[in-house]
Amino acid sequence: MSAQDRELLVEKSPLPDGVDERIRRQFTFLIEVDQLKAVLRQSPLASAPRRENDAEHSWHLAMMVVLLAEYSDEPLDVARTVELVLVHDLVEIYAGDTPLYDGTAAENQLEREVRAAEELFALLPGDQARRMRELWDEFEARRTPEARFAKAMDRLQPLLLNWMARGGTWRTPGVSADDVRRRKAVIGDASTALWQAGQRLIDEGQARGWDR
């Protein structure tokens, strides 16, 4: 669907006349990203018998950054890292979630997400649109300590949820404990200590027969 063909959420109850144009665009974006709450991920919640959504995931990553930043192998700007994890999955509102172990869906993931980023961030005033796109690109490139740590949290969080689910997505057909280790190894790019802890969970899960 093109940007021209997409109906924005705000159109269901248009903002009244007289709202400042910059504020109007910001409100439009904030209403549109409410859809993140409806994008389901594969990871099961630890607290309820259902899958988590992208908004819950992003909040959890932000909390993890605040609590676990002390384990970063490099000095970290915590506030910027929180920004990265809050922005990183917004594109999935239009591009959809791509499960970690779905190789077929991953083939065109970047193309879908770049197109979504261009469309979604364009709703904002120009300066904020550029800022959001810079944050998203930074997360994807993983060239900064903040982006590496943000990506590490993105891989560590579902690991914790799968541990609580006694396997969870580790039981996906065709996925082995070695596949999990390969996919999660980026945690070690940001934190030796957290990757050691993560490997301990994977090893123990495998010992308990929680992988296929």
Side-chain angles (χ1 to χ4, degrees):
M1 181 181 294
S2 69
Q4 293 76 19
D5 296 333
R6 190 182 304 279
E7 181 180 3
L8 300 177
L9 276 183
V10 73
E11 293 172 20
K12 296 179 179 179
S13 184
L15 296 170
D17 294 339
V19 176
D20 174 83
E21 181 58 26
R22 181 177 176 87
I23 294 175
R24 178 182 294 276
R25 296 187 69 170
Q26 291 166 329
F27 280 6
T28 295
F29 179 83
L30 290 170
I31 292 168
E32 190 72 1
V33 299
D34 187 71
Q35 294 180 80
L36 199 67
K37 301 170 186 175
V39 179
L40 290 180
R41 295 170 48 80
Q42 297 301 306
S43 301
L45 292 181
S47 58
R50 66 171 175 83
R51 290 154 56 191
E52 73 170 346
N53 64 53
D54 263 350
E56 293 165 331
H57 171 70
S58 298
W59 163 82
H60 212 175
L61 296 192
M63 181 61 70
M64 291 174 71
V65 169
V66 171
L67 294 181
L68 301 178
E70 63 185 274
Y71 301 109
S72 176
D73 289 343
E74 304 171 89
L76 206 61
D77 181 333
V78 173
R80 184 174 184 84
T81 311
V82 168
E83 287 184 294
L84 291 171
V85 298
L86 290 176
V87 167
H88 85 288
D89 269 348
L90 289 178
V91 297
E92 294 188 0
I93 290 170
Y94 295 159
D97 176 58
T98 302
L100 183 60
Y101 302 109
D102 188 338
T104 301
E107 291 178 359
N108 68 346
Q109 179 181 1
L110 182 59
E111 177 186 347
R112 286 185 287 110
E113 293 188 349
V114 167
R115 187 165 59 246
E118 292 172 349
E119 181 179 350
L120 181 63
F121 299 144
L123 297 176
L124 284 164
D127 60 321
Q128 291 186 322
R130 288 188 293 273
R131 169 72 171 163
M132 286 287 187
R133 181 58 190 269
E134 288 169 2
L135 288 168
W136 186 75
D137 286 339
E138 180 179 346
F139 178 91
E140 292 297 314
R142 290 193 291 130
R143 295 195 185 98
T144 64
E146 290 76 19
R148 286 190 287 274
F149 198 81
K151 186 67 173 183
M153 297 303 95
D154 191 38
R155 292 295 169 85
L156 179 60
Q157 187 259 4
L159 194 160
L160 294 177
L161 293 182
N162 284 326
W163 169 264
M164 293 304 299
R166 294 176 170 80
T169 60
W170 298 347
R171 298 180 182 273
T172 302
V175 174
S176 68
D178 284 340
D179 292 324
V180 176
R181 292 185 185 94
R182 280 193 293 272
R183 296 287 190 171
K184 303 296 184 180
V186 295
I187 298 170
D189 293 342
S191 172
T192 302
L194 293 178
W195 180 221
Q196 288 175 345
Q199 289 182 93
R200 182 71 189 92
L201 296 182
I202 297 169
D203 292 346
E204 183 61 24
Q206 183 179 24
R208 297 184 187 187
W210 292 352
D211 67 314
R212 294 182 68 90

Coordinates of all heavy atoms in Angstrom, one line a residue, residues 78-155:
V78 N 22.9 6.6 28.0 CA 21.7 5.9 28.3 C 20.5 6.5 27.7 O 19.6 5.8 27.1 CB 21.5 5.7 29.8 CG1 20.2 5.1 30.2 CG2 22.6 4.9 30.4
A79 N 20.3 7.8 27.7 CA 19.2 8.5 27.2 C 19.0 8.2 25.7 O 17.9 7.9 25.2 CB 19.2 10.0 27.4
R80 N 20.2 8.3 25.0 CA 20.1 8.0 23.5 C 19.8 6.6 23.2 O 19.0 6.2 22.3 CB 21.4 8.4 22.9 CG 21.4 8.2 21.3 CD 22.7 8.7 20.7 NE 22.6 8.7 19.2 CZ 22.0 9.6 18.5 NH1 21.5 10.7 19.0 NH2 22.0 9.4 17.1
T81 N 20.3 5.7 24.0 CA 20.0 4.2 23.9 C 18.5 4.0 24.1 O 17.9 3.2 23.4 CB 20.8 3.4 24.8 OG1 22.2 3.8 24.7 CG2 20.7 1.9 24.4
V82 N 17.9 4.6 25.1 CA 16.5 4.5 25.3 C 15.7 5.0 24.0 O 14.7 4.4 23.6 CB 16.0 5.3 26.5 CG1 14.5 5.4 26.6 CG2 16.6 4.6 27.8
E83 N 16.2 6.1 23.5 CA 15.5 6.6 22.2 C 15.6 5.6 21.1 O 14.6 5.4 20.4 CB 16.2 7.9 21.8 CG 15.9 9.1 22.6 CD 16.6 10.4 22.0 OE1 17.8 10.4 22.0 OE2 15.9 11.3 21.6
L84 N 16.7 4.9 21.0 CA 16.9 3.9 19.9 C 15.9 2.8 20.1 O 15.3 2.3 19.1 CB 18.3 3.4 19.9 CG 19.4 4.4 19.5 CD1 20.8 3.8 19.8 CD2 19.3 4.7 18.0
V85 N 15.8 2.3 21.3 CA 14.9 1.1 21.5 C 13.4 1.5 21.3 O 12.6 0.7 20.9 CB 15.1 0.4 22.8 CG1 16.5 -0.2 22.9 CG2 14.8 1.2 24.0
L86 N 13.1 2.8 21.7 CA 11.7 3.2 21.5 C 11.3 3.4 20.0 O 10.2 3.2 19.7 CB 11.4 4.5 22.3 CG 11.5 4.4 23.8 CD1 11.3 5.7 24.4 CD2 10.4 3.4 24.3
V87 N 12.3 3.7 19.2 CA 12.0 4.0 17.8 C 12.2 2.8 16.9 O 11.5 2.6 15.9 CB 13.0 5.1 17.3 CG1 13.0 5.2 15.8 CG2 12.6 6.4 17.9
H88 N 13.0 1.8 17.3 CA 13.5 0.8 16.4 C 12.4 -0.1 15.8 O 12.5 -0.5 14.6 CB 14.5 -0.2 17.1 CG 13.9 -1.3 17.9 ND1 13.2 -1.1 19.1 CD2 13.8 -2.6 17.6 CE1 12.8 -2.3 19.5 NE2 13.1 -3.2 18.7
D89 N 11.3 -0.3 16.4 CA 10.2 -1.2 15.9 C 9.0 -0.4 15.3 O 8.0 -1.0 14.9 CB 9.7 -2.2 16.9 CG 10.5 -3.5 16.9 OD1 11.2 -3.7 15.9 OD2 10.3 -4.3 17.8
L90 N 9.1 0.9 15.3 CA 7.9 1.7 14.8 C 7.6 1.3 13.4 O 6.4 1.3 13.0 CB 8.2 3.2 14.9 CG 8.2 3.8 16.3 CD1 8.6 5.3 16.3 CD2 6.9 3.6 17.0
V91 N 8.6 1.0 12.6 CA 8.3 0.7 11.2 C 7.5 -0.5 11.0 O 6.9 -0.7 10.0 CB 9.7 0.5 10.4 CG1 10.5 1.8 10.4 CG2 10.5 -0.7 11.0
E92 N 7.4 -1.4 12.0 CA 6.6 -2.6 11.9 C 5.1 -2.3 11.9 O 4.3 -3.2 11.6 CB 7.0 -3.6 13.0 CG 8.4 -4.1 12.9 CD 8.7 -5.2 13.9 OE1 7.9 -5.6 14.7 OE2 9.9 -5.7 13.9
I93 N 4.7 -1.1 12.2 CA 3.3 -0.7 12.1 C 2.9 -0.9 10.6 O 1.8 -1.3 10.4 CB 3.1 0.8 12.5 CG1 3.3 1.0 14.0 CG2 1.8 1.4 12.0 CD1 3.4 2.4 14.4
Y94 N 3.8 -0.6 9.7 CA 3.4 -0.7 8.2 C 4.1 -2.0 7.7 O 3.6 -2.6 6.7 CB 3.9 0.5 7.5 CG 3.2 1.8 7.8 CD1 3.8 3.0 7.5 CD2 1.9 1.8 8.4 CE1 3.1 4.2 7.8 CE2 1.3 3.0 8.7 CZ 1.9 4.2 8.4 OH 1.2 5.4 8.6
A95 N 5.3 -2.4 8.2 CA 6.0 -3.5 7.6 C 5.7 -4.8 8.2 O 6.0 -5.9 7.6 CB 7.5 -3.2 7.7
G96 N 5.1 -4.8 9.4 CA 4.8 -6.1 10.1 C 6.0 -6.6 10.8 O 7.1 -6.2 10.5
D97 N 5.8 -7.5 11.8 CA 6.8 -8.1 12.5 C 7.5 -9.2 11.7 O 6.8 -9.9 11.0 CB 6.3 -8.7 13.8 CG 7.4 -9.4 14.6 OD1 8.4 -8.8 14.9 OD2 7.2 -10.6 14.9
T98 N 8.8 -9.3 11.8 CA 9.5 -10.4 11.1 C 10.1 -11.3 12.1 O 11.0 -11.0 12.8 CB 10.6 -9.9 10.2 OG1 10.1 -9.0 9.2 CG2 11.3 -11.0 9.4
P99 N 9.5 -12.5 12.3 CA 10.0 -13.4 13.4 C 11.4 -13.8 13.2 O 11.9 -13.9 12.0 CB 9.1 -14.7 13.2 CG 7.8 -14.2 12.6 CD 8.3 -13.1 11.7
L100 N 12.2 -13.8 14.3 CA 13.6 -14.0 14.2 C 14.0 -15.3 13.5 O 15.0 -15.3 12.8 CB 14.2 -14.1 15.7 CG 15.7 -14.2 15.8 CD1 16.4 -13.0 15.2 CD2 16.0 -14.3 17.3
Y101 N 13.2 -16.3 13.6 CA 13.6 -17.6 13.0 C 12.9 -17.9 11.7 O 12.9 -19.0 11.2 CB 13.4 -18.7 14.0 CG 14.1 -18.5 15.3 CD1 13.4 -18.2 16.5 CD2 15.5 -18.6 15.4 CE1 14.1 -18.0 17.7 CE2 16.2 -18.4 16.6 CZ 15.5 -18.1 17.7 OH 16.2 -17.8 18.9
D102 N 12.3 -16.9 11.1 CA 11.6 -17.0 9.8 C 12.5 -16.5 8.7 O 12.5 -15.3 8.4 CB 10.3 -16.3 9.8 CG 9.5 -16.5 8.6 OD1 10.0 -16.9 7.5 OD2 8.2 -16.3 8.7
G103 N 13.3 -17.4 8.1 CA 14.3 -17.0 7.0 C 13.6 -16.5 5.8 O 14.1 -15.5 5.1
T104 N 12.4 -17.0 5.5 CA 11.7 -16.5 4.3 C 11.3 -15.1 4.4 O 11.5 -14.2 3.5 CB 10.5 -17.4 4.0 OG1 11.0 -18.8 3.8 CG2 9.8 -16.9 2.7
A105 N 10.7 -14.8 5.5 CA 10.2 -13.4 5.8 C 11.3 -12.4 5.8 O 11.2 -11.2 5.5 CB 9.4 -13.4 7.1
A106 N 12.5 -12.9 6.3 CA 13.7 -12.0 6.4 C 14.2 -11.6 5.1 O 15.0 -10.6 5.0 CB 14.7 -12.7 7.3
E107 N 13.9 -12.3 4.0 CA 14.5 -12.0 2.7 C 14.2 -10.6 2.2 O 15.1 -9.9 1.6 CB 14.0 -13.0 1.7 CG 14.6 -14.4 1.9 CD 14.1 -15.4 0.9 OE1 13.3 -15.1 0.1 OE2 14.5 -16.6 1.0
N108 N 13.0 -10.1 2.4 CA 12.7 -8.7 2.0 C 12.4 -7.8 3.2 O 11.8 -6.8 3.0 CB 11.5 -8.8 1.0 CG 10.2 -9.2 1.7 OD1 10.2 -9.7 2.8 ND2 9.1 -9.0 1.0
Q109 N 12.9 -8.2 4.3 CA 12.6 -7.4 5.5 C 13.1 -6.0 5.4 O 12.4 -5.0 5.7 CB 13.2 -8.1 6.8 CG 13.0 -7.3 8.1 CD 13.7 -8.0 9.3 OE1 14.3 -9.0 9.1 NE2 13.5 -7.4 10.4
L110 N 14.4 -5.8 5.0 CA 15.0 -4.5 4.9 C 14.2 -3.6 3.9 O 13.9 -2.4 4.2 CB 16.5 -4.6 4.5 CG 17.2 -3.2 4.5 CD1 17.2 -2.5 5.8 CD2 18.6 -3.5 4.0
E111 N 13.9 -4.2 2.8 CA 13.1 -3.4 1.8 C 11.8 -2.9 2.4 O 11.4 -1.7 2.2 CB 12.9 -4.2 0.6 CG 12.1 -3.6 -0.5 CD 11.7 -4.5 -1.7 OE1 12.4 -5.6 -1.7 OE2 10.9 -4.2 -2.5
R112 N 11.1 -3.8 3.0 CA 9.8 -3.4 3.6 C 9.9 -2.4 4.7 O 9.1 -1.4 4.8 CB 9.1 -4.7 4.2 CG 8.5 -5.7 3.2 CD 7.8 -6.8 3.9 NE 8.7 -7.8 4.5 CZ 8.8 -7.9 5.8 NH1 8.1 -7.2 6.7 NH2 9.6 -8.8 6.3
E113 N 10.9 -2.5 5.5 CA 11.1 -1.6 6.7 C 11.6 -0.3 6.2 O 11.2 0.8 6.8 CB 12.0 -2.3 7.7 CG 11.4 -3.5 8.4 CD 12.2 -4.0 9.5 OE1 13.3 -3.6 9.7 OE2 11.6 -4.9 10.3
V114 N 12.5 -0.2 5.2 CA 12.9 1.1 4.7 C 11.7 1.9 4.1 O 11.6 3.1 4.4 CB 14.0 0.9 3.7 CG1 14.3 2.2 2.9 CG2 15.3 0.5 4.3
R115 N 10.9 1.2 3.4 CA 9.7 1.8 2.8 C 8.8 2.3 3.9 O 8.2 3.4 3.8 CB 9.0 0.8 1.9 CG 7.9 1.4 1.1 CD 7.4 0.5 -0.1 NE 7.0 -0.8 0.4 CZ 7.7 -1.9 0.1 NH1 8.8 -1.9 -0.6 NH2 7.2 -3.1 0.6
A116 N 8.6 1.5 4.9 CA 7.8 1.9 6.0 C 8.3 3.1 6.8 O 7.6 4.0 7.2 CB 7.6 0.7 7.0
A117 N 9.7 3.1 7.0 CA 10.3 4.3 7.7 C 10.1 5.6 6.9 O 9.8 6.6 7.5 CB 11.8 4.0 7.8
E118 N 10.2 5.5 5.6 CA 10.1 6.7 4.8 C 8.6 7.2 4.9 O 8.4 8.4 4.9 CB 10.4 6.4 3.3 CG 11.9 6.1 3.1 CD 12.2 5.5 1.7 OE1 11.2 5.2 1.0 OE2 13.4 5.4 1.4
E119 N 7.7 6.3 4.9 CA 6.3 6.7 4.9 C 5.9 7.2 6.3 O 5.2 8.3 6.5 CB 5.4 5.5 4.5 CG 3.9 5.9 4.5 CD 3.1 4.7 4.1 OE1 3.6 3.6 3.6 OE2 1.8 4.8 4.3
L120 N 6.3 6.5 7.4 CA 5.8 6.8 8.7 C 6.4 8.1 9.2 O 5.7 9.0 9.7 CB 6.1 5.6 9.6 CG 5.7 5.8 11.1 CD1 4.2 5.9 11.2 CD2 6.2 4.6 12.0
F121 N 7.7 8.2 9.1 CA 8.4 9.4 9.7 C 8.1 10.6 9.0 O 8.2 11.7 9.5 CB 9.9 9.1 9.8 CG 10.3 7.9 10.6 CD1 11.4 7.1 10.3 CD2 9.6 7.6 11.8 CE1 11.8 6.0 11.0 CE2 10.0 6.5 12.5 CZ 11.0 5.7 12.2
A122 N 7.6 10.5 7.7 CA 7.3 11.7 6.9 C 6.0 12.4 7.5 O 5.7 13.5 7.1 CB 7.0 11.3 5.5
L123 N 5.3 11.7 8.4 CA 4.2 12.4 9.0 C 4.6 13.5 10.0 O 3.8 14.4 10.2 CB 3.3 11.3 9.8 CG 2.7 10.2 9.0 CD1 2.1 9.2 10.0 CD2 1.7 10.7 8.0
L124 N 5.8 13.5 10.4 CA 6.3 14.4 11.4 C 6.8 15.7 10.7 O 7.1 15.7 9.5 CB 7.4 13.8 12.2 CG 7.1 12.8 13.3 CD1 8.3 12.0 13.7 CD2 6.4 13.5 14.5
P125 N 6.9 16.8 11.5 CA 7.6 18.0 11.0 C 9.0 17.6 10.5 O 9.6 16.6 11.1 CB 7.7 18.9 12.2 CG 6.6 18.5 13.1 CD 6.4 17.0 12.9
G126 N 9.6 18.3 9.5 CA 10.8 17.9 8.9 C 12.0 17.6 9.8 O 12.7 16.6 9.7
D127 N 12.2 18.4 10.8 CA 13.3 18.2 11.7 C 13.2 16.9 12.6 O 14.1 16.2 12.7 CB 13.5 19.4 12.6 CG 12.3 19.7 13.5 OD1 11.2 19.6 13.0 OD2 12.5 20.0 14.7
Q128 N 11.9 16.7 13.0 CA 11.7 15.5 13.8 C 11.7 14.2 12.9 O 12.1 13.2 13.4 CB 10.4 15.6 14.6 CG 10.5 16.7 15.7 CD 9.3 16.7 16.6 OE1 8.2 16.5 16.1 NE2 9.5 16.9 17.9
A129 N 11.2 14.4 11.7 CA 11.3 13.2 10.8 C 12.7 12.8 10.5 O 13.0 11.6 10.5 CB 10.6 13.6 9.4
R130 N 13.6 13.8 10.3 CA 15.0 13.5 10.1 C 15.6 12.8 11.4 O 16.4 11.9 11.3 CB 15.8 14.7 9.7 CG 15.5 15.2 8.3 CD 16.4 16.4 7.9 NE 16.2 17.6 8.7 CZ 15.3 18.5 8.4 NH1 14.5 18.4 7.4 NH2 15.2 19.6 9.2
R131 N 15.2 13.3 12.5 CA 15.7 12.8 13.8 C 15.3 11.3 14.0 O 16.1 10.5 14.3 CB 15.2 13.7 14.9 CG 15.5 13.1 16.3 CD 16.9 13.1 16.8 NE 17.0 12.8 18.2 CZ 18.2 12.5 18.7 NH1 19.3 12.4 18.0 NH2 18.2 12.2 20.0
M132 N 14.1 11.1 13.7 CA 13.6 9.7 13.9 C 14.2 8.7 12.9 O 14.6 7.6 13.3 CB 12.0 9.7 13.7 CG 11.2 10.2 14.8 SD 11.2 9.1 16.2 CE 10.1 10.0 17.3
R133 N 14.4 9.2 11.7 CA 15.1 8.4 10.7 C 16.5 8.1 11.0 O 17.1 7.0 10.9 CB 15.0 9.0 9.3 CG 15.6 8.2 8.2 CD 15.0 6.8 8.1 NE 15.7 5.9 7.2 CZ 15.4 5.8 5.9 NH1 14.4 6.5 5.3 NH2 16.2 5.0 5.1
E134 N 17.2 9.1 11.6 CA 18.6 9.0 12.0 C 18.7 7.9 13.1 O 19.6 7.1 13.1 CB 19.2 10.3 12.5 CG 19.5 11.3 11.3 CD 19.8 12.7 11.9 OE1 19.8 12.9 13.1 OE2 20.0 13.6 11.0
L135 N 17.8 8.0 14.1 CA 17.8 7.0 15.2 C 17.5 5.6 14.6 O 18.2 4.6 15.0 CB 16.7 7.4 16.2 CG 17.0 8.6 17.1 CD1 15.8 9.0 17.8 CD2 18.2 8.3 18.0
W136 N 16.6 5.5 13.7 CA 16.3 4.2 13.2 C 17.5 3.6 12.4 O 17.8 2.4 12.5 CB 15.0 4.2 12.3 CG 14.6 2.9 11.8 CD1 13.9 1.9 12.5 CD2 14.8 2.3 10.5 NE1 13.7 0.8 11.8 CE2 14.2 1.0 10.5 CE3 15.4 2.8 9.3 CZ2 14.3 0.2 9.4 CZ3 15.4 1.9 8.2 CH2 14.8 0.7 8.3
D137 N 18.1 4.4 11.6 CA 19.2 4.0 10.8 C 20.4 3.6 11.7 O 21.1 2.7 11.4 CB 19.7 5.1 9.8 CG 18.7 5.3 8.6 OD1 18.0 4.3 8.3 OD2 18.8 6.4 8.0
E138 N 20.6 4.4 12.8 CA 21.7 4.1 13.7 C 21.5 2.7 14.4 O 22.4 2.0 14.5 CB 21.7 5.2 14.8 CG 22.8 5.0 15.8 CD 22.9 6.1 16.9 OE1 22.3 7.1 16.7 OE2 23.5 5.8 17.9
F139 N 20.2 2.5 14.8 CA 20.0 1.1 15.4 C 20.3 0.0 14.4 O 20.9 -1.0 14.7 CB 18.5 1.1 15.8 CG 18.1 -0.3 16.4 CD1 18.2 -0.5 17.7 CD2 17.6 -1.3 15.5 CE1 17.8 -1.7 18.3 CE2 17.3 -2.5 16.1 CZ 17.4 -2.7 17.4
E140 N 19.8 0.2 13.1 CA 20.0 -0.9 12.1 C 21.5 -1.1 11.8 O 21.9 -2.2 11.6 CB 19.3 -0.5 10.9 CG 17.7 -0.5 11.0 CD 17.2 -1.9 11.3 OE1 17.7 -2.9 10.7 OE2 16.4 -2.0 12.3
A141 N 22.3 0.0 11.8 CA 23.7 -0.1 11.4 C 24.6 -0.6 12.5 O 25.6 -1.2 12.2 CB 24.2 1.3 10.9
R142 N 24.2 -0.4 13.8 CA 24.9 -0.9 14.9 C 26.4 -0.5 14.9 O 27.3 -1.2 15.3 CB 24.9 -2.4 15.0 CG 23.5 -3.0 15.4 CD 23.5 -4.4 15.8 NE 23.8 -5.3 14.7 CZ 24.8 -6.2 14.7 NH1 25.5 -6.4 15.7 NH2 24.9 -7.0 13.6
R143 N 26.7 0.8 14.5 CA 28.0 1.3 14.5 C 28.4 2.0 15.7 O 29.6 2.3 15.9 CB 28.2 2.2 13.3 CG 28.1 1.5 11.9 CD 28.6 2.3 10.8 NE 28.4 1.7 9.5 CZ 27.4 2.0 8.7 NH1 26.5 3.0 9.0 NH2 27.2 1.4 7.5
T144 N 27.5 2.4 16.6 CA 27.7 3.1 17.8 C 27.6 2.2 19.0 O 26.8 1.2 19.0 CB 26.8 4.3 18.0 OG1 25.4 3.8 18.1 CG2 26.9 5.2 16.7
P145 N 28.2 2.5 20.1 CA 28.0 1.7 21.4 C 26.5 1.7 21.7 O 26.0 0.6 22.2 CB 28.8 2.5 22.4 CG 29.9 3.2 21.6 CD 29.2 3.6 20.4
E146 N 25.8 2.8 21.6 CA 24.4 2.8 21.9 C 23.6 1.9 21.1 O 22.7 1.2 21.6 CB 23.9 4.3 21.8 CG 24.4 5.2 22.9 CD 25.8 5.7 22.6 OE1 26.3 5.5 21.5 OE2 26.5 6.1 23.6
A147 N 23.9 1.9 19.8 CA 23.1 1.0 18.9 C 23.4 -0.5 19.1 O 22.5 -1.3 19.1 CB 23.4 1.3 17.4
R148 N 24.7 -0.8 19.4 CA 25.0 -2.2 19.7 C 24.4 -2.6 21.0 O 23.9 -3.8 21.1 CB 26.6 -2.3 19.9 CG 27.3 -2.3 18.5 CD 28.7 -2.6 18.6 NE 29.5 -1.6 19.2 CZ 30.1 -0.6 18.6 NH1 29.9 -0.4 17.3 NH2 30.8 0.4 19.2
F149 N 24.3 -1.7 22.0 CA 23.6 -2.1 23.3 C 22.1 -2.3 23.1 O 21.5 -3.2 23.6 CB 23.9 -1.1 24.4 CG 23.6 -1.7 25.7 CD1 24.6 -2.5 26.4 CD2 22.5 -1.4 26.4 CE1 24.3 -3.0 27.7 CE2 22.2 -1.9 27.7 CZ 23.1 -2.7 28.3
A150 N 21.5 -1.3 22.3 CA 20.1 -1.4 22.0 C 19.8 -2.7 21.3 O 18.8 -3.4 21.6 CB 19.7 -0.2 21.1
K151 N 20.6 -3.1 20.3 CA 20.4 -4.4 19.6 C 20.5 -5.6 20.6 O 19.8 -6.6 20.5 CB 21.4 -4.5 18.5 CG 21.1 -5.7 17.6 CD 19.8 -5.6 16.8 CE 19.6 -6.7 15.8 NZ 18.3 -6.6 15.1
A152 N 21.5 -5.5 21.5 CA 21.7 -6.5 22.5 C 20.4 -6.7 23.3 O 20.0 -7.8 23.6 CB 22.9 -6.2 23.3
M153 N 19.8 -5.6 23.7 CA 18.6 -5.7 24.5 C 17.5 -6.3 23.7 O 16.6 -7.1 24.2 CB 18.2 -4.3 25.0 CG 19.2 -3.6 26.0 SD 19.6 -4.6 27.5 CE 21.1 -5.4 26.9
D154 N 17.4 -6.0 22.4 CA 16.4 -6.5 21.5 C 16.5 -8.0 21.4 O 15.5 -8.7 21.2 CB 16.6 -5.9 20.1 CG 15.4 -6.1 19.2 OD1 14.3 -6.1 19.7 OD2 15.7 -6.3 18.0
R155 N 17.7 -8.6 21.6 CA 17.9 -10.0 21.5 C 17.8 -10.7 22.9 O 17.4 -11.8 23.0 CB 19.2 -10.3 20.8 CG 19.3 -10.0 19.4 CD 18.3 -10.8 18.5 NE 18.2 -10.3 17.2 CZ 19.0 -10.7 16.2 NH1 20.0 -11.5 16.4 NH2 18.8 -10.2 15.0

